[in-house]
Amino acid sequence: MQTSADFPPSSYGMSFTVGEHSARHLRRIVRTYLCAWDLEELCEGAELALTELLANVVRHVPNRHCSILFVWQPDALRVEVTDRAPGVPYVKQPSSADGPVDELAEGGRGLLLVEAVTDRWGVTPRASGGKTVWFECVAKVRAPDSARG
């Protein structure tokens, strides 16, 4: 049985089909965990990066089904979004239908944003098909007594 002394756990995960309000709810969940883990400074970047990864699920995963995992690491957060869709996402410059870089293009900036607001990110192909897209955000300033025990 879990007690209040066990909260917050060091990870949170779930599988679901991304819907209209999923990103908003998951931003709230990641913020709750970051506050409980004393990593509030990571909220903005983690929320933005998570929103972009979920937008990619909506755009590129036929059934919109994925799994997410938030993992507490000392002074850091790791987020993983796993789906079964083929293909590996990559950073690309936004372009128009004609090919040249289009600074006003609405699409193509998601992973550029993830790269900009996180410390590390990557893609791990899964042997069973699909992939896990992950990112890590590391706290910049930590108080010596803030270690989780």
Side-chain angles (χ1 to χ4, degrees):
M1 183 163 108
Q2 189 173 14
T3 67
S4 60
D6 297 327
F7 187 84
S10 60
S11 65
Y12 172 84
M14 67 181 284
S15 294
F16 63 102
T17 299
V18 179
E20 183 179 337
H21 301 290
S22 298
R24 181 179 69 200
H25 295 303
L26 287 166
R27 283 192 304 268
R28 186 177 305 130
I29 291 168
V30 79
R31 179 175 289 275
T32 299
Y33 274 87
L34 285 170
C35 290
W37 292 331
D38 195 26
L39 295 171
E40 295 93 341
E41 72 183 79
L42 303 180
C43 286
E44 267 187 49
E47 289 175 346
L48 178 56
L50 176 61
T51 300
E52 291 302 325
L53 295 189
L54 293 173
N56 282 345
V57 170
V58 169
R59 287 186 197 104
H60 304 293
V61 177
N63 62 6
R64 294 184 175 187
H65 188 79
C66 69
S67 297
I68 57 104
L69 179 65
F70 306 145
V71 180
W72 173 83
Q73 300 171 338
D75 299 332
L77 168 72
R78 181 180 175 96
V79 173
E80 299 180 357
V81 178
T82 301
D83 65 62
R84 295 184 187 267
V88 175
Y90 59 93
V91 175
K92 59 185 173 188
Q93 292 297 322
S95 61
S96 67
D98 300 330
V101 172
D102 180 358
E103 299 298 329
L104 301 176
E106 290 186 23
R109 289 188 176 82
L111 291 177
L112 286 171
L113 286 172
V114 171
E115 191 170 80
V117 300
T118 66
D119 293 290
R120 289 178 290 283
W121 76 275
V123 181
T124 306
R126 296 173 43 121
S128 60
K131 73 265 181 203
T132 298
V133 183
W134 57 269
F135 66 82
E136 294 177 351
C137 296
V138 178
K140 306 301 183 230
V141 179
R142 302 304 299 155
D145 63 347
S146 67
R148 184 181 144 103

